[in-house]
Amino acid sequence: MSQLLENLEKHTAQYVEAFNAGDFETLDAFYTEEAVAVWEPGEPLTGQARRDYQREFLARGPKISTTTRQSFVTGDTALLIVDWVIDMVDDQGAPERLTGTGVDVLRLGEDGIWRYAVDDPYGQD
């Protein structure tokens, strides 16, 4: 079980790295095909709508930092509770800071890679 948790911690670090680099292709590989992501509170997106929103969001040059509060693993499923801060520039060019506590459900693929099945950065709302 400790190996799965260690891999999960690496997953989070690699996700942050891809996010901060604005690397959409790598970031998208961190999601299952049918993943649900909530990039705006109360507005879950799946499929191409999720991908399009993520691509547009990353184009704004956001930088994220995360702190994992809790992680739980059972079999091929994990639950992460993560505090995050995103610094970026809003549509008018002014600095903007977003914060939240995310609730994420991940699945371990046959290839040994954790992928988000549910990514809800606003899970505390």
Side-chain angles (χ1 to χ4, degrees):
M1 188 64 74
S2 63
Q3 180 66 36
L4 290 178
L5 283 172
E6 183 178 310
N7 288 348
L8 192 56
E9 289 171 10
K10 287 179 186 174
H11 168 275
T12 302
Q14 291 168 337
Y15 180 91
V16 167
E17 184 178 320
F19 187 103
N20 288 341
D23 184 347
F24 169 76
E25 296 300 326
T26 298
L27 196 73
D28 190 48
F30 281 92
Y31 290 83
T32 64
E33 191 63 33
E34 69 281 0
V36 175
V38 184
W39 285 74
E40 294 287 335
E43 297 182 27
L45 299 173
T46 61
Q48 194 59 45
R50 175 189 61 79
R51 288 180 190 85
D52 290 345
Y53 190 94
Q54 285 177 255
R55 188 185 306 275
E56 290 170 21
F57 190 86
L58 288 175
R60 296 169 61 189
K63 302 298 181 205
I64 191 171
S65 60
T66 64
T67 303
T68 301
R69 272 195 203 188
Q70 297 179 47
S71 57
F72 304 97
V73 175
T74 179
D76 66 351
T77 304
L79 173 68
L80 292 178
I81 309 297
V82 179
D83 293 325
W84 57 269
V85 175
I86 294 176
D87 288 305
M88 58 191 290
V89 176
D90 70 15
D91 294 336
Q92 287 74 41
E96 181 177 12
R97 175 167 273 198
L98 307 172
T99 63
T101 300
V103 176
D104 302 317
V105 177
L106 296 92
R107 279 197 225 126
L108 185 61
E110 292 180 11
D111 57 3
I113 297 173
W114 288 102
R115 291 186 176 83
Y116 292 97
V118 179
D119 179 13
D120 188 357
Y122 301 99
Q124 83 282 7
D125 293 339

